[in-house]
Amino acid sequence: MRTKHKAATTMRITLEPSSEPSPSHSQTPKDEVEWVPLPKHPLFTEHGGANIAAYRNLLAWDGASSRLYFWDANSRFLHRLSLRLGDPDPSSVLASSPSKVLQADAVLDFDVHKISVNRNGTAILLFGSETLSVMYLYGRASKKDVNLICRTITVGSHAHSTGGNDIRVLQVLWHPYSDTHLGILSSDSVFRLFNLAVDPLQPEQEYYLQPVEPGRSRNASSVCPVDFSFGGDHLWDRFSVFILFSNGAIYVLCPIVPFGSLFKCESLVEIYNDAHTFGIISANSVAASNSKLAISWLEAAFPELQNQDTEGDSLSLLRAHAYSLFDASLVLQGPLRRVGQDGNEDSFGCSAECEGRAVSFLYNLVSKDSILVTAWSGGQLQIDALADEIQPVWCVGSPPRLRVDSHDQILGLAMICESITCSSLGKVDHSAWLGNPPPLLRLAIVDLALPRRAESGYNISLFIDMLMPERIYSLHDGGIDSIVLHFLPFTSQSNGKDDTMKTPSVHPVLNTCQSRYTSEPSICGFASLSDSFGYSWIVAITLSLECVVLEMKSWNLLLPVSIDLEKKPISSEGESKERDIPTIISKELLSGPKEVLVPHASPSLRSVAADSIEGRSTLHQYFKLFHETYVEYGHKVYLELKHHAPQLKKIINDQHSRLGDAQQKLLNGEEKEGILKQRLDRAIKMHNSLEERLQQLRNLPCAHKKPLSRAERQFKSELDRFKEVELDALHSSVDALSARLRRHLQASKANQQQKTAGKKIHAGDNQISMLKSSLEKLSLVNTENSKKVKLVESTLRNKERSSGRESSLPLV
């Protein structure tokens, strides 16, 4: 049970020399720290509004050490707050004041959009618009002030930072099984994995994504990635990377493992035995070949598996070795289709209920279910579950490019990942290791009911509740919503529940929308907190630097509502009124006194005189019997009436007051009757005026235009979709191609300069001709894309001009 302290909300504690884990002691033991509620921390109360742009998350939570990090966009400092969760009462969150300020040892001349702390809390990612930097959280003390000067490095500057800023970084995530590896997805459709401990500038692994064959795609959005997510701790999901494209298509890369990362031995033995049991012995040659490739990859990446005794003691963790198949590249599995869908190109991705383009993606592992959530710019969330297990697939005959050292040890790799067509798309195939991507089971389409906006749409960020994975938070311009999943197909089946498919419940947590239309987001920081006692909170920072802390209820949130079926309903109105009437006099008194049973008298008693001894005793007996019955009953009636007199008086006074209120309401209604009549007359006049104006508008020439035909309406919808989705994708593709062309030109110029300097370049005529042809193809593709963009822009301008001429017609 959680212990509750009797201390006040704000307390002072003397710091010990070992309270700061940093090797440098910037504070002396005499310094004091004050514990204050997090919303009242001076960091948020003593500063005004910050100059913060839209779509940012400047909060990061380190649950292992109970530390909250906040990036100050004005001073470009990182603030570290130590938190006390649930102390002194379960709903409170206390923060240490003043906060510890961490300062970069280099000049950060870019705007930070997102911060994220790694697994062991030793480094934090600073994701900017043009630069990626990593700040190590343990530094040296500054000579000027009490700030900590932390070592800061730049990541991937050669791959992403260009002169024209053509190649943009779309998403950056820490790898869940490594403290030094970063996954980066860029706009040139390349997924890169960097090892900061080896080389932060050159990627360790590069995967060039090619979702469709060249020339077969009709939509530019099908080749433009948007977001990605690493898989969870489940079978081959831990080696998987899920990539979302702008049209809503989801692809999977498996296996991808950071060199030197650690994995549980029992999990690796499980998938290793699965490949031996269901793959090699399969009668299908494709399944046998795929399982052999997987087994060879596992044995090379984790050599201890070959000598592992599954019956006895085993190692708890195994380190991944640098390895890649020399004659095969990974297959870009997908697009993942729903169960029962056909193989047409437009049958996946956006559903009929979703609007706009895909903007963000989230992978969530809940027990045995892998949940995939896609957010759309129209304000919808598409929630799916994997209906089958993910398995690795290679394309034999497409060797990767490897970078090795003098001892032939692999330092890095690069490969082209192409998508292949499968025969059983959208079908649950129980035959394992056939190389088919797993189908999706649609759980729900959640409409967040966001206000309409005339811009390109909403940017929606998704977060997982660390305490209850069934709950997902969505951060958008209108605030924060909570989505709770009540149906999980594999988890419910394994628990023996035969529940029907239940829709998720959506609850608004924080509403920042004050009107029907929202222009800019109002939240620049979000974090989900939890402790070991089962309590959960969320922290949000507004653009005005206002901190909001909300306790989230978790107990009994997933339990179904219990209904008492044995409770009998009230049969008639009479019974209900009878039950509502309070009991004034008991039914025992209303039924009268008890019946007096006169004792049987003998015949000789009639001849006895009343003044005789025998007669007197008989009369005394009768008087005593009557006294016990009637006098006691009268005494009870008296006491009952005396006891209920105040209650009767109170009821009568209540009835009089209610009567007075009813009379006053009647008088008010009579007074408002005249006002209502006047308003009704004005409404009737306005209605007649609007009818006359509508009739005049109907007589205008423009009102007799023919409605658009079906083909014209379809063409108009295609133009609108091209303007909202495809145009941005085309611009991104043109920028990426221009950046690649610029790099090739720079490389060719460097080669020419080396030739003039006297350096011999051993390149054959075939390689030079291939380079020239590739440059010519790239220039042709760039020219064609530029023409298409100009054509689309001219069409949109003509459409806007025509709509402007129609709107300029005079109204009578």
Side-chain angles (χ1 to χ4, degrees):
M1 182 180 296
R2 178 195 295 271
T3 58
K4 297 183 179 180
H5 304 282
K6 296 183 179 179
T9 306
T10 304
M11 60 191 75
R12 290 185 177 271
I13 298 175
T14 303
L15 274 180
E16 297 295 333
S18 61
S19 64
E20 188 67 38
S22 174
S24 62
H25 303 287
S26 60
Q27 292 181 337
T28 63
K30 296 181 180 179
D31 293 337
E32 291 183 346
V33 64
E34 187 179 6
W35 294 93
V36 298
L38 182 58
K40 299 181 181 179
H41 197 277
L43 178 62
F44 307 115
T45 57
E46 297 180 359
H47 294 77
N51 186 17
I52 302 175
Y55 310 124
R56 297 192 178 186
N57 187 15
L58 304 182
L59 272 183
W61 167 246
D62 184 9
S65 57
S66 295
R67 288 176 173 177
L68 186 69
Y69 295 91
F70 174 71
W71 176 261
D72 191 345
N74 292 332
S75 61
R76 300 183 188 275
F77 289 158
L78 182 68
H79 295 267
R80 183 174 67 196
L81 302 173
S82 298
L83 299 188
R84 284 184 172 180
L85 303 177
D87 187 12
D89 56 87
S91 61
S92 65
V93 177
L94 302 182
S96 60
S97 177
S99 62
K100 193 63 181 176
V101 180
L102 308 181
Q103 182 179 353
D105 62 351
V107 179
L108 301 179
D109 54 352
F110 62 94
D111 294 332
V112 176
H113 290 175
K114 185 183 73 171
I115 64 175
S116 175
V117 66
N118 65 346
R119 186 178 58 173
N120 61 358
T122 58
I124 195 165
L125 169 70
L126 304 178
F127 178 20
S129 57
E130 299 179 0
T131 308
L132 295 177
S133 296
V134 172
M135 177 188 292
Y136 292 94
L137 300 178
Y138 300 104
R140 65 183 187 276
S142 174
K143 297 180 180 180
K144 298 181 181 180
D145 45 32
V146 296
N147 298 349
L148 281 180
I149 305 299
C150 300
R151 176 172 170 259
T152 305
I153 61 175
T154 303
V155 181
S157 58
H158 298 332
H160 308 122
S161 298
T162 58
N165 194 23
D166 295 326
I167 300 180
R168 297 175 291 107
V169 176
L170 304 176
Q171 181 63 282
V172 185
L173 294 176
W174 291 100
H175 199 281
Y177 294 98
S178 176
D179 300 324
T180 60
H181 281 81
L182 275 176
I184 301 177
L185 179 65
S186 54
S187 60
D188 57 346
S189 298
V190 181
F191 174 75
R192 296 177 174 90
L193 202 62
F194 285 84
N195 188 359
L196 306 183
V198 177
D199 189 354
L201 299 179
Q202 190 171 8
E204 178 186 88
Q205 302 176 39
E206 288 184 289
Y207 300 92
Y208 293 82
L209 310 178
Q210 191 169 335
V212 293
E213 296 182 8
R216 290 193 58 184
S217 176
R218 299 194 302 266
N219 302 323
S221 59
S222 61
V223 294
C224 292
V226 174
D227 199 354
F228 82 96
S229 180
F230 291 108
D233 190 13
H234 175 72
L235 298 180
W236 287 97
D237 289 18
R238 59 178 55 88
F239 301 131
S240 301
V241 177
F242 297 84
I243 302 173
L244 174 70
F245 283 77
S246 181
N247 62 343
I250 301 174
Y251 291 84
V252 183
L253 282 176
C254 179
I256 293 179
V257 57
F259 298 161
S261 56
L262 297 175
F263 293 88
K264 295 180 181 179
C265 181
E266 57 181 359
S267 302
L268 297 175
V269 170
E270 181 181 5
I271 60 177
Y272 184 69
N273 294 336
D274 176 79
H276 276 281
T277 305
F278 300 100
I280 290 183
I281 63 175
S282 176
N284 193 312
S285 59
V286 177
S289 175
N290 291 335
S291 61
K292 287 180 181 178
L293 291 176
I295 291 172
S296 63
W297 181 85
L298 284 172
E299 292 177 349
F302 305 95
E304 296 84 359
L305 288 177
Q306 301 183 49
N307 303 324
Q308 184 70 26
D309 187 6
T310 58
E311 300 293 333
D313 298 334
S314 60
L315 299 174
S316 58
L317 296 175
L318 297 181
R319 186 176 299 275
H321 292 250
Y323 177 72
S324 176
L325 297 178
F326 293 97
D327 60 341
S329 298
L330 294 183
V331 171
L332 187 62
Q333 303 183 46
L336 305 185
R337 305 180 189 271
R338 296 200 307 271
V339 175
Q341 279 190 328
D342 53 8
N344 296 331
E345 183 183 356
D346 299 331
S347 62
F348 61 89
C350 181
S351 301
E353 299 86 354
C354 299
E355 300 176 0
R357 66 185 188 280
V359 292
S360 62
F361 178 77
L362 177 69
Y363 172 92
N364 186 17
L365 180 64
V366 185
S367 186
K368 296 184 178 180
D369 289 276
S370 299
I371 307 300
L372 308 181
V373 185
T374 304
W376 295 84
S377 60
Q380 296 83 24
L381 300 182
Q382 179 180 304
I383 304 177
D384 300 307
L386 290 180
D388 205 348
E389 300 295 345
I390 295 176
Q391 292 168 345
V393 182
W394 285 269
C395 179
V396 180
S398 177
R401 298 189 63 179
L402 303 178
R403 188 176 72 253
V404 298
D405 58 7
S406 58
H407 302 286
D408 291 337
Q409 298 293 327
I410 297 179
L411 300 178
L413 60 89
M415 63 179 67
I416 299 176
C417 303
E418 299 177 342
S419 178
I420 59 175
T421 58
C422 299
S423 58
S424 60
L425 287 174
K427 301 178 182 179
V428 180
D429 197 341
H430 298 285
S431 301
W433 297 99
L434 293 180
N436 299 326
L440 298 176
L441 178 63
R442 177 61 47 85
L443 298 184
I445 296 290
V446 177
D447 192 350
L448 299 178
L450 301 179
R452 299 288 181 180
R453 58 185 301 177
E455 300 176 7
S456 58
Y458 291 94
N459 251 350
I460 302 176
S461 302
L462 302 173
F463 302 90
I464 303 175
D465 192 333
M466 296 291 102
L467 182 64
M468 190 176 69
E470 293 88 353
R471 178 160 51 193
I472 301 169
Y473 296 109
S474 63
L475 175 63
H476 47 77
D477 298 358
I480 303 172
D481 291 332
S482 169
I483 300 96
V484 180
L485 304 178
H486 297 284
F487 174 77
L488 300 170
F490 291 100
T491 303
S492 301
Q493 184 180 4
S494 61
N495 294 337
K497 298 180 181 179
D498 193 14
D499 297 338
T500 57
M501 192 169 181
K502 298 179 181 178
T503 58
S505 58
V506 184
H507 305 281
V509 178
L510 185 62
N511 186 14
T512 60
C513 180
Q514 302 296 333
S515 61
R516 293 179 57 191
Y517 295 92
T518 57
S519 57
E520 293 294 337
S522 58
I523 298 177
C524 64
F526 177 85
S528 174
L529 317 181
S530 62
D531 63 358
S532 58
F533 294 96
Y535 291 88
S536 176
W537 302 263
I538 62 170
V539 180
I541 306 297
T542 62
L543 292 180
S544 59
L545 287 186
E546 179 184 1
C547 180
V548 180
V549 179
L550 299 175
E551 182 185 5
M552 303 302 296
K553 300 296 183 181
S554 301
W555 300 107
N556 301 329
L557 190 59
L558 298 176
L559 296 179
V561 180
S562 59
I563 301 175
D564 189 5
L565 300 177
E566 297 181 357
K567 186 176 180 180
K568 296 182 180 179
I570 299 175
S571 58
S572 61
E573 297 180 358
E575 289 186 14
S576 61
K577 292 181 179 179
E578 184 179 353
R579 293 185 180 183
D580 294 337
I581 297 176
T583 303
I584 305 301
I585 300 177
S586 61
K587 295 181 180 180
E588 182 182 357
L589 297 180
L590 292 177
S591 63
K594 296 180 180 180
E595 185 180 356
V596 180
L597 299 177
V598 180
H600 180 70
S602 61
S604 61
L605 187 61
R606 298 178 180 177
S607 60
V608 177
D611 55 352
S612 63
I613 297 174
E614 207 175 311
R616 287 179 180 178
S617 77
T618 304
L619 289 175
H620 179 72
Q621 184 179 0
Y622 285 172
F623 277 123
K624 183 180 179 181
L625 184 62
F626 290 148
H627 182 272
E628 290 178 355
T629 304
Y630 293 102
V631 174
E632 288 184 2
Y633 172 74
H635 184 65
K636 288 182 180 180
V637 170
Y638 173 75
L639 292 178
E640 189 85 12
L641 293 177
K642 185 179 180 181
H643 174 71
H644 286 290
Q647 186 177 359
L648 289 173
K649 185 179 179 180
K650 181 180 179 182
I651 293 175
I652 292 173
N653 294 335
D654 184 46
Q655 295 291 339
H656 279 295
S657 64
R658 292 177 64 184
L659 179 61
D661 293 341
Q663 290 177 353
Q664 185 64 32
K665 289 180 180 179
L666 288 176
L667 293 176
N668 295 336
E670 291 177 358
E671 292 177 359
K672 294 180 180 179
E673 184 180 3
I675 301 175
L676 290 175
K677 287 183 178 180
Q678 294 178 2
R679 294 179 63 182
L680 185 61
D681 293 339
R682 288 199 300 267
I684 293 174
K685 290 181 181 179
M686 180 62 69
H687 177 69
N688 295 333
S689 174
L690 291 175
E691 281 189 349
E692 293 178 359
R693 189 177 180 184
L694 180 61
Q695 189 62 32
Q696 293 175 359
L697 290 174
R698 287 175 179 172
N699 295 330
L700 291 176
C702 61
H704 299 283
K705 291 196 308 181
K706 294 182 179 180
L708 295 178
S709 62
R710 182 177 179 181
E712 291 173 341
R713 290 195 303 269
Q714 185 177 1
F715 181 69
K716 182 177 179 297
S717 64
E718 289 181 359
L719 282 179
D720 294 338
R721 183 179 180 276
F722 206 94
K723 179 181 179 181
E724 296 176 357
V725 181
E726 299 294 332
L727 194 58
D728 295 337
L730 276 176
H731 281 299
S732 178
S733 300
V734 171
D735 292 340
L737 289 174
S738 301
R740 290 185 179 180
L741 180 60
R742 190 180 301 111
R743 288 184 180 181
H744 282 292
L745 293 176
Q746 291 176 356
S748 62
K749 289 180 180 178
N751 292 334
Q752 290 178 1
Q753 291 176 358
Q754 290 179 0
K755 286 182 179 180
T756 57
K759 294 183 179 180
K760 296 182 179 180
I761 299 176
H762 300 281
D765 296 336
N766 295 331
Q767 295 180 354
I768 296 176
S769 61
M770 289 175 62
L771 180 60
K772 290 182 179 180
S773 62
S774 62
L775 288 175
E776 292 176 356
K777 289 181 180 178
L778 283 174
S779 61
L780 290 175
V781 171
N782 192 8
T783 305
E784 291 178 359
N785 287 335
S786 302
K787 291 181 180 179
K788 290 180 180 178
V789 171
K790 291 180 180 178
L791 178 62
V792 171
E793 289 179 349
S794 63
T795 306
L796 293 175
R797 282 197 297 268
N798 295 333
K799 180 184 175 184
E800 291 176 356
R801 290 174 183 172
S802 61
S803 61
R805 286 196 297 269
E806 292 178 0
S807 61
S808 63
L809 291 175
L811 298 178
V812 181

